[in-house]
Amino acid sequence: MEVNFWDPKIETMPQQDLKALQLEKLKKVVTLVYERVPHYRKKFEEAKVKPEDIKSLEDVVRLPFTTKEDLFVDYPYGLLAVPLEEVVRLHTSSGTTGKPKALFFTKKDIDAQAELIARNLVMTGTTRGDVLQNSMTYGLFTGALVMHYGAEKLGVLVIPAGPGNTERQIELMKTFGTTCFHMTPSYALYVASVILNKGLDPRRDLKLKRAYLGAEPYTEETRKKIEELLGIDVYNCYGLSEMGGPGVGFECVYKEGLHIWEDAFLVEIVNPETGDPVKEGEIGELVLTSLNREGMPLIRYRTRDLTFFFTEPCACGRTHRRISRILGRADDMFIVRGVNIFPQQIEAVLMGIKGVAQNYQIVLENYDEMIVKVEIDREFFDGRIERLLKLKEEIVEKLREAILVKPKVELLEPGTLPVSEGKAKRVIDKRTL
Ligand code: ADP
Ligand code: K
Ligand code: ZN
């Protein structure tokens, strides 16, 4: 396998040196927020901790967590660690209280995140000469702009397509010889189905080589499905606005977990209920401290995203640790008949069944009823009823095995369910309406 580096020195830095670098940066950022951000000073005082108490990386647990709620205290400028005139960009992301979370970037912050994107792109084989179609939403969201700046920094040609208008997406791919694209996995599934339904052979008629899919959880099965439909490599791209946007974690060519850039983030995984660190390799909530950001650094930020650390070093030679794909959002979990269920568990089952198409929806009705609506493949839909009944039975059985709850399954013709061009809404919970 060909392994490429953007910054080999930092990407393969021995863990020990990385840790020393992290400690130095951690001390700096903790001092910075203590001195410049009243809200942090207050939190530190409540937790009875001072910057000088941080003597080793293990001491990080003495620092208080930052939660989404903290972003709304002294909103919107209260967490700035620099004067407003140093801030050059605002991004927002959907908030918990109806107000959007507001995140601020200095020039240096924008460039630092672009640097991470450049590393990520090179890591997956993208170089100058590649054509990247950026089909995330441009605007207040970080998704498109951060990727855009990173790709430009590397020197690839960026097509700022934005999402939607699928016919035009495909025209752009054909006309400009797009080699890579960046979009949500749910939209990628839809675009792939449109490409095939038009009778195009992606391997012959398009120049696509790889895709960067993220912004929402998806499964290994979904990745494989998109890779097979289009004949490309799909790389998982993870990030959140609070940590600068996409590019926080990214897969290398081995596609076994996402490297998190540890020179830029201090990574912890904690028990979502107690906040205590989990054992190495156990599932928990990802907690991140930004080590480089100057505009709005965040300390021990609770992402609500569930993941685990891979314990083995990666075959690519990078020393930065890997986390698993996001297994769910602590908030996405729903409960049916007392059983905790994540939408991704259902997706994993569906995408592994032959005859199932790309789109599905989970409807929760009453306290104990879960209906899974599933679109089936056009070729599969040949009018033979017994074939459909067997498929339905297979889906019910496999779901019951995986989630321990027997769902009702409804098979639908392709194109029945609403199409998502951004983040898919998979769960309709009528119980709370
Ligand atoms: P929000 O979705 O809260 O409006 P963002 O747009 O910043 O805010 O999205 C960040 C969140 O999106 C992450 O915390 C995570 O839940 C989800 N996310 C981003 N990338 C991925 C990915 N590759 N896999 C799974 N989830 C992802
Ligand atoms: K997102
Ligand atoms: Zn690797």
Side-chain angles (χ1 to χ4, degrees):
M1 195 113 42
E2 203 187 318
V3 176
N4 300 300
F5 295 97
W6 166 257
D7 186 345
K9 187 160 168 275
I10 201 90
E11 291 176 49
T12 62
M13 178 181 265
Q15 262 286 325
Q16 211 182 335
D17 299 352
L18 249 182
K19 291 221 156 94
L21 181 66
Q22 284 188 312
L23 179 59
E24 185 191 313
K25 290 187 178 192
L26 179 66
K27 286 178 175 172
K28 235 166 102 183
V29 70
V30 166
T31 309
L32 179 78
V33 298
Y34 184 77
E35 284 172 359
R36 304 262 188 93
V37 184
H39 181 59
Y40 266 120
R41 177 181 287 254
K42 194 167 141 241
K43 280 175 76 90
F44 283 19
E45 277 165 3
E46 278 163 11
K48 300 198 173 27
V49 59
K50 286 215 150 78
E52 53 270 29
D53 295 331
I54 304 302
K55 298 198 171 73
S56 74
L57 282 183
E58 286 68 45
D59 289 333
V60 72
V61 300
R62 303 187 53 183
L63 296 167
F65 289 117
T66 306
T67 64
K68 295 203 156 75
E69 288 67 41
D70 286 305
L71 302 183
F72 294 103
V73 178
D74 305 332
Y75 183 83
Y77 293 120
L79 292 186
L80 277 187
V82 295
L84 192 60
E85 53 266 36
E86 308 241 329
V87 170
V88 297
R89 193 190 295 167
L90 162 73
H91 277 296
T92 68
S93 131
S94 50
T96 36
T97 64
K99 277 191 292 197
K101 289 172 249 164
L103 292 313
F104 299 97
F105 294 66
T106 63
K107 274 205 172 119
K108 205 176 130 220
D109 292 336
I110 289 178
D111 195 55
Q113 202 73 12
E115 178 79 16
L116 297 186
I117 294 285
R119 274 189 210 169
N120 293 328
L121 296 180
V122 170
M123 175 161 77
T124 59
T126 292
T127 53
R128 285 159 165 262
D130 268 303
V131 180
L132 179 100
Q133 191 159 323
N134 194 12
S135 309
M136 289 285 189
T137 307
Y138 277 81
L140 286 166
F141 278 101
T142 47
L145 275 171
V146 169
M147 174 62 79
H148 188 115
Y149 275 57
E152 279 189 359
K153 184 167 179 125
L154 168 59
V156 311
L157 169 57
V158 187
I159 305 176
N165 197 341
T166 308
E167 292 292 324
R168 198 195 49 166
Q169 298 281 357
I170 297 168
E171 270 317 305
L172 288 170
M173 288 177 179
K174 282 205 310 215
T175 309
F176 299 103
T178 299
T179 59
C180 323
F181 60 87
H182 176 216
M183 59 180 76
T184 60
S186 48
Y187 189 46
L189 278 167
Y190 180 68
V191 172
S193 74
V194 176
I195 289 174
L196 297 174
N197 286 339
K198 288 172 88 71
L200 291 171
D201 174 354
R203 289 162 177 84
R204 188 195 61 209
D205 304 323
L206 300 173
K207 296 216 164 80
L208 301 177
K209 288 191 277 197
R210 60 192 82 90
Y212 303 111
L213 305 184
E216 64 188 9
Y218 59 116
T219 59
E220 198 52 45
E221 288 75 9
T222 299
R223 179 228 295 277
K224 294 221 173 84
K225 190 154 188 167
I226 299 169
E227 288 189 327
E228 274 156 29
L229 289 174
L230 294 178
I232 58 172
D233 284 300
V234 167
Y235 295 99
N236 197 344
C237 164
Y238 168 77
L240 61 166
S241 320
E242 296 87 319
M243 289 293 135
V248 172
F250 222 91
E251 284 177 329
C252 67
V253 287
Y254 289 96
K255 298 180 191 162
E256 266 184 30
L258 295 86
H259 288 282
I260 294 224
W261 298 114
E262 295 191 83
D263 60 316
F265 305 99
L266 185 69
V267 196
E268 299 170 76
I269 297 180
V270 306
N271 179 319
E273 253 104 67
T274 63
D276 295 331
V278 299
K279 288 201 208 82
E280 182 97 344
E282 261 177 30
I283 297 177
E285 179 181 346
L286 184 69
V287 172
L288 296 170
T289 298
S290 67
L291 296 175
N292 290 342
R293 286 172 65 209
E294 55 175 26
M296 193 173 162
L298 296 176
I299 308 293
R300 303 194 81 202
Y301 186 70
R302 302 281 300 250
T303 65
R304 308 303 286 149
D305 293 325
L306 302 175
T307 184
F308 59 84
F309 277 124
F310 281 78
T311 45
E312 299 290 304
C314 187
C316 75
R318 286 179 185 78
T319 47
H320 301 244
R321 280 184 299 172
R322 289 168 298 153
I323 58 164
S324 77
R325 62 171 61 248
I326 302 302
L327 302 169
R329 233 161 139 150
D331 320 308
D332 275 350
M333 193 191 74
F334 59 89
I335 300 180
V336 177
R337 284 176 230 155
V339 180
N340 299 359
I341 302 171
F342 288 99
Q344 291 70 44
Q345 293 176 285
I346 292 177
E347 181 170 321
V349 171
L350 294 179
M351 292 304 138
I353 296 177
K354 206 172 159 323
V356 170
Q358 287 78 2
N359 215 348
Y360 69 93
Q361 198 174 59
I362 302 159
V363 182
L364 304 173
E365 232 152 17
N366 308 325
Y367 76 104
D368 66 344
E369 200 161 59
M370 176 168 80
I371 304 166
V372 182
K373 300 186 174 187
V374 184
E375 287 187 8
I376 57 174
D377 273 332
R378 210 168 283 280
E379 311 87 80
F380 199 89
F381 195 60
D382 65 355
R384 279 189 296 148
I385 292 289
E386 65 277 24
R387 216 174 160 205
L388 293 179
L389 288 176
K390 259 183 90 183
L391 176 64
K392 189 166 150 174
E393 221 171 275
E394 182 185 353
I395 297 174
V396 171
E397 253 330 286
K398 289 195 169 152
L399 281 176
R400 198 186 52 76
E401 267 170 38
I403 59 177
L404 308 173
V405 167
K406 190 171 171 185
K408 266 193 189 163
V409 169
E410 284 177 17
L411 300 185
L412 301 171
E413 280 184 51
T416 319
L417 292 169
V419 171
S420 94
E421 292 178 343
K423 289 188 215 193
K425 181 154 176 50
R426 297 298 195 189
V427 183
I428 310 290
D429 194 344
K430 295 191 173 166
R431 302 173 304 182
T432 52
L433 294 182

